[in-house]
Amino acid sequence: MDPMTPNFQNRDACVALVIEGTLGIGHAIAQELARDHRVIATCRSEQEAGKRRCDQAGAEIVQCDLALREDRLALIADLRARYARIHLLVNTTGNPPEERRDIVDITEESFDELVARNLKGPHFLDRMSVV
């Protein structure tokens, strides 16, 4: 079998959740894992190019903003309803704030957004996914 061809025979045995799996390193990880895992890749907003790449790799894309508690709860509830467990959680978050500024000019709101997306959201998602 070609090493680049997904092996869909036993994919459902292991479920992998890849945070921000439609871009950059997250997408590369989702593609690799999709060979022999059921991969759910999250994205903050609908990204058509990332969705097409995930579809080609055999990964499912789910819109989820980790900064929002409701999104995290909905994601975990959905995955628990569909799968017995999440076997692998790959967190590739590293999102800049919407408004990029020099560190000395950053607003408190922008800083809060940065912390919520990259620290708070992933931390609480990690805790929810193992319970």
Side-chain angles (χ1 to χ4, degrees), residues 6-63:
N7 174 12
F8 295 113
Q9 229 173 2
N10 201 20
R11 289 179 74 216
D12 291 333
C14 292
V15 177
L17 174 60
V18 181
I19 306 304
E20 295 298 329
T22 61
L23 297 171
I25 189 84
H27 180 259
I29 292 168
Q31 278 187 307
E32 183 67 27
L33 287 173
R35 292 184 190 166
D36 54 8
H37 290 71
R38 167 72 58 196
V39 175
I40 293 84
T42 70
C43 70
R44 257 185 314 142
S45 59
E46 188 60 39
Q47 301 159 349
E48 204 52 44
K51 182 174 178 2
R52 278 194 309 274
R53 290 193 312 260
C54 282
D55 287 345
Q56 290 168 349
E60 175 186 347
I61 187 171
V62 176
Q63 192 168 339

